Amino acid sequence: MDFGLSAEQLLLEESLGGLLDARAPTQRARALAAADDAFDPDLWQAVVGLGVTGILVPVEHGGSGLGLLDAAVAAWTVGARATPLPFLGTTVMAPVALRTAGTPEQQGRYLPRIVRGELRIGIAATEAISKRDGAGIRRDGGVLTGSALFVIDAESADVFLIAVEDGSLALLPRDARGLEVRRLVTVDRTRRVGELVLGSVPVAEWLGAAPDTAAQATRRMIDAGRLMLAADALGAADRALALAVEWAKTRRQFGRTIGSFQAVKHLCAEMAAAIEPARSLLWWAAHAFDHLPDEAALAATHAKAHLTEVASQVVRTATEVHGGTGFTAECDVQLFFKRAALDRHLLGSPALLREHAARLQGL
Amino acid sequence: MDLSYGEEAEALRREVRAFVEEHRTQAPLGAIGLGGRPDERVRRWQALLIERGYAARNVPREYGGFGAPPDPLARIVIDEEFARAGISRGIGGQGPDMLVPTLLEHGTEEQRRRYVGPTLRGEMVWCQGYSEPEAGSDLANVRTSAVLEGDDFVVTGHKIWTTSAHFSDMMFCLVRTEPERPRHAGLSYLLIPMASAGISVQPLMTMTGKAEFNQVFFDGVRVPRASIVGERGEGWRIANATLVHERNMLGSAAQIDALFQALLRLARTETRDDRPLIEDPLVRDRLMRLQAEVLAARWHASRLLSTRLRGEPVGIAGLVVKLTGCELAHQISSTALELLGEVGALYERSPHERAGGLWVFQQMFSLGLIIGGGTAQIQKNIIGERGLGLPREARGDV
């Protein structure tokens, strides 16, 4: 019995965290967020050099063949620094889909390039969860038409993995004729989502020959993505609390450090009391993805709903602890407020996920 | 990450399962120790559990325990198997769970030999004398005095919130022996026979309509000076050790899970306008919100257990358990009442009452637990100060 992080996982957290602190402190994150594609090739290659892109790639394809919990460690380490990285689509959702439904040839063609950081994959899966504004990609034989919203890592993607309305999964290069990428501007400028517009685009490559395989790959990829967003939200919450505590220990008013006032201290305690059990929930859910098949889907669903609820509450409270300073752009806490805001809604908002959790249990 | 318990623990599980099957007819029914002293059947059951190592497992043999080395995983396996079978886990509560570990850590050899065995066997029942009318959250403000006269302490004062005092043999009690010293340094930990001359006990009715607590009055009660645990002035440190054991009893993940499963059954079986409540989208949302928290509490308990098994400090992760567990238990019963609507307001054996008024009682009682054992606000002070390193608030009287 050992329900906790391994020495290797703690080392990953330390080495990735150290690298990001050195190469992408928050002023660098802010500069990247202001750029067109929020993508820093040098930073990306440094992250690749640590093996992050190979976490979920099997050893025979050049990865380290680790699990979702290892990926989650990386995700909360990134989330705690609000680092702009094309992490979610390329290093997590695409490898999970390729491992579940890719042919050996496809795995051999894509996975090593993902590990080496030569290929970035955007994920269009929102409409497999719920549709807005008439979006949805329809298939007519081998031709796709329609639009997809909230495409993950859209701005820097070389290839798109697209969940089609009939349950199939298509792979399209960014330069496919008739494929247009529109920028969507969200509240969180440290990550990029976009809209794909397809006008009768012929598809040369599909993932998963049988519809069942593609549907299974889509579900697994979405569960993995939800776990990463939950982990990112945990990182954001952890950092927001740390900033609030630091502020409460140094800021003085009425001749006292404000953290000595129970009004402020209790807000900090409430944040910690919400975060700690949620952290345990996330560990279990990430572990379940690889090792507890009967519980994996429910665990991922609950983890995404609960961690993002907790993070929303924490970033709001951490902002309040900072007082007027918390409301300024200069204060870092706003980066995490916005990070958590996007984590909350991508791949399913909490209320939608709770209904999904009820259905998964036959309620 | 390894969620298996290992071969040794699984072998123990098989052994416990066989035991439970063989002996289940001997097990006492209902909760033990809430309404009165353990009866003959309970004491026989307890003796059997100790003999097999399913109770008092880590208490040394010479003091009446089973004498196994510390093995938290074995304890969890035993808890799980007894819970699965729905069978009594033996005598717990303030004597075995709070006083015994305290005596093993701080008591004299004479105290251990005299008290531990009878307490474990259910022959000696204990109550806790900490809180006073003027020493609630500010526990160090205890005023009950114990003055040394010859070979006796003479105790005068007033304790409150004393569970089980009306049928207890003994009280472990926090008293002021050194009034000239600073607050915390002036307290001592005394063991007082409840039959002593000068003690009177009055039941304290609570909002639930039941008398779960008492007030205890001391009027010149003489207690031999050898009844002190630890040195004079060490009472605060020793009482805090006991409080850690109490907070571990509160906010238990297994109890919370059982309560949530009962809520889920309620939502599936109760109907409104002939439709099951579980079909209502708002009900579904609330239940799933709670389920995520129940799962979090469950895996949080596993995380704390693993940390302790590794011999590492649990840190802030441990400090939040009482606060979050008690709040969650209250939210679950509040949700049950919300689902029941006006039917949920029925109590005291009214027609149409559900589950014998359990949810009504549970919702009020769990509010009591949010306050008892260190209020939610005191817990937040502890989390903020010990967990996050925030400065203490200035005292108003020094």
Side-chain angles (χ1 to χ4, degrees), chain A residues 311-348:
Chain A
S312 297
Q313 186 60 36
V314 167
V315 292
R316 171 236 142 102
T317 308
T319 306
E320 266 189 277
V321 167
H322 280 82
T325 300
F327 192 58
T328 65
E330 193 184 342
C331 179
D332 275 349
V333 77
Q334 57 98 358
L335 297 174
F336 301 99
F337 185 99
K338 294 170 181 172
R339 192 92 181 179
L342 189 59
D343 289 332
R344 182 180 176 91
H345 294 295
L346 285 182
L347 299 177

Side-chain angles (χ1 to χ4, degrees), chain B residues 115 119 127 133 140 151 156 169 189 255 273 285 299 314 322-323 325:
Chain B
Y115 297 122
T119 302
C127 58
D151 276 343
T156 303
D169 303 294
Y189 193 100
Q255 285 168 23
D273 300 331
D285 189 78
W299 291 103
V314 292
K322 199 264 172 182
L323 177 70

Side-chain angles (χ1 to χ4, degrees), chain B residues 12-21 54 78 81-82:
Chain B
L12 174 66
R13 187 186 300 282
R14 288 189 294 275
E15 178 201 308
V16 177
R17 221 169 258 195
F19 169 86
V20 164
E21 278 317 305
Y54 304 151
I78 298 164
E81 288 307 310
F82 276 68

Side-chain angles (χ1 to χ4, degrees), chain B residues 161-219:
Chain B
W161 304 117
T162 323
T163 313
S164 318
H166 53 301
F167 57 82
S168 289
D169 303 294
M170 296 286 296
M171 172 188 277
F172 52 95
C173 190
L174 207 48
V175 292
R176 189 161 298 282
T177 51
E178 331 294 311
E180 73 290 350
R181 288 205 212 156
R183 294 157 29 95
H184 297 79
L187 300 175
S188 297
Y189 193 100
L190 276 190
L191 308 178
I192 305 177
M194 291 298 285
S196 311
I199 291 186
S200 57
V201 177
Q202 277 180 14
L204 182 65
M205 286 291 270
T206 70
M207 68 188 291
T208 66
K210 302 185 193 327
E212 296 112 347
F213 301 98
N214 299 278
Q215 304 195 67
V216 181
F217 299 90
F218 300 84
D219 182 10

Side-chain angles (χ1 to χ4, degrees), chain A residues 1-6 69 241 245 248-249 256-257 259-262 264-266 268-270 272-274 276-281 283-284 287 292 295 298 302 306 309 350-351 354-355 357-359 361-363, chain B residues 1-6 73 264 268 278 281 284-285 288-289 291-293 295-300 302-303 305-307 309-310 316-317 320 323-324 377-381 383-385 388-394:
Chain A
M1 171 75 182
D2 188 15
F3 183 75
L5 302 179
S6 67
L69 182 56
L241 172 59
V245 168
K249 285 178 182 173
R256 291 163 61 176
T257 311
S260 70
F261 289 113
Q262 290 188 339
V264 174
K265 182 182 296 172
H266 286 190
C268 294
E270 285 160 12
E276 289 309 324
R279 188 190 314 282
S280 308
L281 180 74
W283 290 1
W284 164 65
H287 176 76
L292 307 168
E295 300 167 61
L298 181 65
H302 270 319
H306 185 63
E309 290 279 17
R354 287 192 286 269
E355 176 54 31
R359 281 169 196 247
Q361 299 172 86
L363 293 173
Chain B
M1 199 68 92
D2 173 15
L3 301 188
S4 75
Y5 284 16
L73 205 49
L264 210 49
R268 299 178 88 148
I278 190 69
R284 298 163 75 78
D285 189 78
M288 291 302 100
R289 204 181 266 268
Q291 187 176 46
E293 293 199 45
L295 285 166
R298 178 192 160 181
W299 291 103
H300 194 62
S302 294
R303 170 178 158 200
L305 170 67
S306 287
T307 311
L309 285 172
R310 287 195 298 268
I316 195 166
V320 304
L323 177 70
T324 55
Q377 288 63 41
I378 292 294
Q379 299 305 315
K380 289 176 192 177
N381 282 350
I383 295 165
E385 290 162 16
L388 299 171
L390 291 167
R392 297 178 66 90
E393 185 144 15

